[in-house]
Amino acid sequence: MKFLSFPTLVQREIFDTFDLSELLILSFCSKKLKYLIQAIQKHRLNKVGTVKYSLLSLVYIIVNAISHDSDKMLNLFIISDDDSEILPMEVFGMHRDVPICLDGPSHIYAYEKEQTGVIIEGIHTFLYQFFGPSPDYRVCTNNSQPPPNLKNINSSAIILPENITAEELENCFTASPKQEYIVINKETTYKLSPNSVIYDTDYLDLLRCDVDGEDVLFRFNGKSLTFSDSNLQNSTIIRFLNTWKSDRGFQNLKLLWIDVSPELFNFAGIMESVDIKQSDESFTLKWKQRSTTDARYRWNTADFSHHLMRSSDGVGASMTITQNHFYFVVWSEIENSEIMNHIK
Amino acid sequence: MTSPASSSEVKYLIESSEGNTFDVSGAALRQSNTFNAMFLNIGADGPIPFTDYNEATLKKVFEYCEHSVNEENYSGPKHQDDLSKWDLNFFNEMDQKMFIDVINASNFLDIERLTSYCCERIARMLRGKNTQEMIKVITLPTAEELEAKQKVEEKKAAAAKKVAEKAAETAEKTETLEELPVQQLVQTTRNKLTRKYLSFSNE
């Protein structure tokens, strides 16, 4: 039956009965069919908000497409199984030589472990072309391997392997150096390379990494930074606040969140050293934080009664120290006029 | 005899591509949204021409419509497993050519239920297959066919280009003549005539 000769409405109705993993297999059949699917299934493909590549083991890759409403639209398992025979097929636009094939149901593929790099790159190149540039393309890895170095990756959530060096980590970001969001997890102390591209990320979360806080803080160029440093001292915070206040740095910064040891901190000392104002009432401020699980932002709130004004442009920020955290949030324009009336 | 009356007893005459006519009940015909949009309110004076489709195809389509007259209102596609024995027989007794003609006719007549079942049936033929198996089912053009098609298109494009160039050339000439001042135009024509006269005299 000549599928391409069917009326568009019929083609569309047939495509509608397929889930995304089946549509993908159809799209491997020919370029024309792929373009047809992209054209008449745009309404579905446009719903994809995140495409996530999870390399959580050395023997499988999970590919998810998640909608803007957090529904899983695609769930592919690319499994390396030494026992199963790979009969190479031209899937994901890869040449027949690349050892990957469908392995039964439409969402399971088998591949040769040694070719992980080539295969993940091939899958990503195809999906990037298929879904277009608008979804958040994300890489997630655990400590089994360093993240793959792929182009057009927007965010990375990675747990660093034990012995990875700063230089090796840098090499994982050369193809997509300016990412919007990176979350790095490492339970031991870790030092990033001094000129790391990671410092240019808009939203950077260094979770459970006991980093050299002063180093990270003063090299960061993005909008939002979260990290923990059990040795962070008062002097670092004072230096940071003075730098921000005098507009000598941190012009892009909107949020700083540090997990600290309360015993090393003396808020009264900080207040004395920097011209921190206190408002007659506390204000609940709202700020946007990237979700660690999908492409969405989540709103976070906290109450603040200590504020700082930037001398050059009058932009304000509020801060607070709780038992374990130091928050610093730059005001939005609306908050600015509201809080200003209450500062003593 | 055809009439716009809404009673299911009323019969309409349908004309096929062969010019043959046959009866279909109003109730069956009203499952076609195309018919509803075109004829339901204004009525049809004479046979309704569905002349893009042959008699066998149209009869098959309306056989389905006649059968589903008494079924409850259509509420979206049913899974093939939920199809009745009659439905299954209806599909199974068609060969592939007839099946494709029925899909096309059903799509034109906009008979939602039938179109949906046909589409679901095609999807079922493809589901669970790998790329190579799918290619066989949906008969995609081979590399040679694509190459031949491309050559024909290239030839057509080259011919069209030639025609366009010629047209542009003619337009340019006309434009040049139009742009010339009258005196110059008279002179050019005079020169041409002189040359012609001279060539005649030489002969």
Side-chain angles (χ1 to χ4, degrees):
Chain A
M1 109 186 45
K2 291 199 169 174
F3 187 85
L4 295 173
S5 311
F6 282 136
T8 308
L9 283 175
V10 170
Q11 291 169 336
R12 182 184 165 137
E13 188 145 358
I14 294 169
F15 289 154
D16 281 348
T17 67
F18 287 127
D19 63 34
L20 269 188
S21 64
E22 292 166 327
L23 275 185
L24 267 181
I25 300 173
L26 259 178
S27 73
F28 303 154
C29 292
S30 79
K31 277 186 186 166
K32 207 163 182 180
L33 200 55
K34 183 173 86 175
Y35 298 144
L36 185 71
I37 293 168
Q38 285 176 305
I40 61 184
Q41 288 288 295
K42 210 176 239 178
H43 61 291
R44 267 167 93 188
L45 303 185
N46 284 349
K47 282 186 191 160
V48 174
T50 305
V51 176
K52 191 160 86 175
Y53 307 105
S54 305
L55 291 90
L56 305 177
S57 145
L58 287 173
V59 291
Y60 63 85
I61 304 164
I62 300 172
V63 179
N64 296 127
I66 303 156
S67 76
H68 296 288
D69 303 324
S70 302
D71 294 328
K72 259 193 190 159
M73 298 173 70
L74 179 70
N75 206 15
L76 302 179
F77 294 90
I78 326 288
I79 300 167
S80 152
D81 181 359
D82 292 339
D83 297 335
S84 68
E85 194 189 347
I86 312 282
L87 296 165
M89 296 174 186
E90 288 174 30
V91 295
F92 295 102
M94 284 184 262
H95 193 264
R96 196 172 267 270
D97 295 348
V98 182
I100 177 168
C101 67
L102 253 173
D103 191 18
S106 60
H107 62 285
I108 299 180
Y109 294 80
Y111 77 102
E112 252 176 39
K113 197 164 66 182
E114 290 70 32
Q115 301 290 326
T116 306
V118 177
I119 280 160
I120 186 80
E121 194 177 343
I123 293 173
H124 171 57
T125 305
F126 185 89
L127 293 184
Y128 187 80
Q129 210 278 322
F130 192 67
F131 293 119
S134 63
D136 176 59
Y137 288 89
R138 171 177 289 206
V139 165
C140 298
T141 58
N142 67 1
N143 54 7
S144 59
Q145 60 207 300
N149 188 18
L150 302 174
K151 280 181 194 168
N152 301 309
I153 293 296
N154 195 44
S155 62
S156 299
I158 51 184
I159 300 175
L160 295 180
E162 264 316 298
N163 301 317
I164 188 166
T165 64
E167 197 186 345
E168 282 166 343
L169 183 64
E170 273 324 287
N171 290 338
C172 301
F173 289 91
T174 52
S176 296
K178 178 88 173 80
Q179 298 195 13
E180 193 211 348
Y181 177 50
I182 295 179
V183 47
I184 297 178
N185 232 307
K186 192 176 196 309
E187 283 170 9
T188 52
T189 310
Y190 192 75
K191 207 169 163 103
L192 293 170
S193 150
N195 298 318
S196 175
V197 290
I198 292 171
Y199 290 126
D200 293 328
T201 309
D202 283 343
Y203 296 80
L204 177 61
D205 289 354
L206 302 169
L207 304 178
R208 289 187 294 166
C209 307
D210 200 6
V211 292
D212 177 350
E214 184 155 5
D215 195 49
V216 168
L217 179 57
F218 283 91
R219 290 184 192 280
F220 181 65
N221 301 313
K223 292 179 188 167
S224 167
L225 173 64
T226 305
F227 67 90
S228 42
D229 180 0
S230 50
N231 298 313
L232 199 73
Q233 303 287 325
N234 252 16
S235 56
T236 307
I237 293 296
I238 291 169
R239 193 178 142 213
F240 158 72
L241 292 173
N242 278 324
T243 309
W244 182 85
K245 190 182 146 200
S246 58
D247 208 5
R248 281 180 285 118
F250 304 106
Q251 282 89 353
N252 299 327
L253 191 74
K254 299 283 177 217
L255 172 75
L256 176 62
W257 173 319
I258 313 174
D259 289 342
V260 292
S261 295
E263 61 269 19
L264 293 178
F265 259 58
N266 169 7
F267 198 48
I270 295 175
M271 280 195 62
E272 254 175 47
S273 310
V274 188
D275 184 22
I276 291 175
K277 320 254 186 223
Q278 200 168 353
S279 53
D280 49 16
E281 58 180 274
S282 70
F283 284 91
T284 305
L285 292 187
K286 222 163 89 165
W287 66 90
K288 247 181 10 175
Q289 254 177 301
R290 272 298 297 253
S291 153
T292 50
T293 52
D294 56 40
R296 292 197 295 182
Y297 295 91
R298 307 222 184 279
W299 286 101
N300 223 329
T301 58
D303 292 333
F304 296 90
S305 49
H306 295 91
H307 318 284
L308 188 67
M309 307 300 296
R310 190 153 65 195
S311 39
S312 63
D313 55 6
V315 168
S318 297
M319 73 212 71
T320 192
I321 294 179
T322 66
Q323 191 64 22
N324 302 310
H325 307 296
F326 170 78
Y327 299 140
F328 177 85
V329 182
V330 177
W331 303 339
S332 66
E333 272 176 33
I334 301 165
E335 288 162 346
N336 202 332
S337 56
E338 200 185 326
I339 302 170
M340 281 295 281
N341 298 330
H342 292 270
I343 291 179
K344 290 169 188 170
Chain B
M1 189 67 193
T2 58
S3 129
S6 60
S7 158
S8 59
E9 299 302 315
V10 176
K11 299 276 186 186
Y12 289 80
L13 269 183
I14 301 293
E15 187 184 347
S16 68
S17 60
E18 301 94 329
N20 298 342
T21 55
F22 60 96
D23 281 345
V24 176
S25 77
L29 205 46
R30 276 195 300 282
Q31 289 181 45
S32 156
N33 292 327
T34 306
F35 165 79
N36 290 338
M38 289 166 76
F39 300 104
L40 188 64
N41 294 324
I42 55 168
D45 188 15
I48 300 171
F50 289 135
T51 46
D52 281 345
Y53 304 97
N54 63 33
E55 186 180 0
T57 306
L58 290 171
K59 277 191 169 163
K60 194 75 187 161
V61 168
F62 289 115
E63 179 193 341
Y64 189 85
C65 294
E66 296 284 5
H67 175 77
S68 48
V69 161
N70 295 323
E71 281 190 19
E72 65 225 48
N73 286 338
Y74 179 67
S75 57
K78 252 199 266 181
H79 196 269
Q80 287 277 312
D81 295 339
D82 301 331
L83 290 182
S84 68
K85 211 173 173 183
W86 188 94
D87 286 328
L88 286 173
N89 279 338
F90 173 82
F91 286 114
N92 289 341
E93 67 191 19
M94 279 188 268
D95 61 16
Q96 199 179 75
K97 189 186 173 309
M98 171 65 90
F99 178 59
I100 288 163
D101 289 344
V102 164
I103 297 172
N104 286 322
S106 173
N107 175 62
F108 170 77
L109 293 166
D110 195 5
I111 302 165
E112 283 177 50
R113 192 194 304 248
L114 180 57
T115 310
S116 267
Y117 290 169
C118 290
C119 291
E120 170 67 32
R121 207 169 166 81
I122 296 174
R124 218 175 147 93
M125 290 176 196
L126 295 169
R127 196 161 282 139
K129 294 198 163 46
N130 67 33
T131 312
Q132 299 309 317
E133 291 162 342
M134 278 185 180
I135 288 173
K136 273 185 196 160
V137 175
I138 59 185
T139 348
L140 288 172
T142 59
E144 293 80 37
E145 282 170 333
L146 283 173
E147 204 179 310
K149 199 178 169 192
Q150 199 181 339
K151 271 184 187 165
V152 171
E153 272 166 14
E154 275 170 8
K155 267 188 184 172
K156 272 187 191 170
K161 199 181 165 190
K162 254 187 185 174
V163 171
E165 276 171 4
K166 218 167 189 180
E169 211 176 284
T170 318
E172 206 175 293
K173 273 183 188 166
T174 320
E175 223 168 70
T176 323
L177 282 177
E178 276 169 3
E179 276 172 8
L180 286 173
V182 179
Q183 270 185 341
Q184 208 179 331
L185 194 64
V186 170
Q187 188 57 47
T188 315
T189 319
R190 210 174 266 162
N191 290 345
K192 273 184 188 169
L193 286 172
T194 318
R195 254 181 271 142
K196 224 172 192 178
Y197 170 74
L198 285 173
S199 68
F200 272 125
S201 355
N202 287 341
E203 278 170 12

